[in-house]
Amino acid sequence: MNRSVMGAVAAALSIAHFPTVAVAQDYTVGSLKIDHPWARATPPAAKVGGGYLKIVNSGTTPDRLLGGSTEASARLEIHESSLVDGIARMREKTDGVAVGAGETVELKPNAIHLMLVDLKAPLKQGEKIQATLRFEKAGPVDVEFQIQGIGAQPQASTDHATH
């Protein structure tokens, strides 16, 4: 076997066993696709920030996002925002987020989201932060969050069908 064939086989094997970037800001591990992780910029004195993304499970078995970690903050937790009797509330979801077989779950502002607790520095628009998401079955997945403006909203669609 010549070197070019061996290199191609090695590249194919590495793609088969490790999470890969499908396109910029999309990450795939097994049947899970993590679409466009992003966070909002924070004011200089803020101690918390929000992280958002979409998880698509194209497989036949469910999985669960359990949390994660990042060097940008002391903790990366899953939180849920809700409006109860006209009062905004937020609580940590210690049981994680289920992603059923064939389902899509979106972590977005004013709903289930990731919370970067005890930020080590403000999140600045245009910067990126590294994080590791932890799934019950898929295991750890390294992702990169793009920091968008303070008032940024989720993208309407990331399937690029309108391009």
Side-chain angles (χ1 to χ4, degrees):
M1 189 178 300
N2 69 33
R3 287 185 178 188
S4 63
V5 172
M6 289 174 53
V9 170
L13 289 173
S14 68
I15 289 170
H17 292 291
F18 298 102
T20 58
V21 177
V23 295
Q25 286 293 89
D26 293 342
Y27 303 86
T28 301
V29 58
S31 61
L32 298 179
K33 177 183 170 196
I34 301 152
D35 187 19
H36 187 60
W38 65 283
R40 285 182 174 152
T42 59
K47 295 309 261 175
V48 296
Y52 317 102
L53 51 86
K54 187 184 296 183
I55 305 167
V56 179
N57 183 352
S58 61
T60 57
T61 58
D63 206 332
R64 179 175 293 272
L65 176 62
L66 299 174
S69 61
T70 177
E71 291 186 9
S73 65
R75 297 185 313 276
L76 182 62
E77 301 174 346
I78 301 169
H79 284 212
E80 182 172 25
S81 297
S82 61
L83 193 61
V84 178
D85 297 328
I87 299 171
R89 299 177 188 260
M90 184 169 22
R91 68 177 179 90
E92 183 179 2
K93 287 190 60 68
T94 56
D95 59 341
V97 177
V99 186
E103 293 184 355
T104 297
V105 173
E106 185 172 10
L107 281 65
K108 58 187 177 182
N110 303 316
I112 297 173
H113 59 279
L114 294 169
M115 181 66 75
L116 292 90
V117 180
D118 199 11
L119 288 170
K120 295 178 180 171
L123 301 178
K124 296 180 180 176
Q125 184 174 355
E127 293 184 347
K128 297 176 182 176
I129 58 172
Q130 305 295 317
T132 301
L133 303 176
R134 188 169 42 90
F135 288 89
E136 185 175 65
K137 294 179 181 165
V141 180
D142 293 331
V143 299
E144 185 173 73
F145 284 78
Q146 287 187 344
I147 310 302
Q148 298 182 1
I150 287 178
Q153 294 296 315
Q155 294 180 342
S157 174
T158 58
D159 64 5
H160 309 288
T162 58
H163 294 257

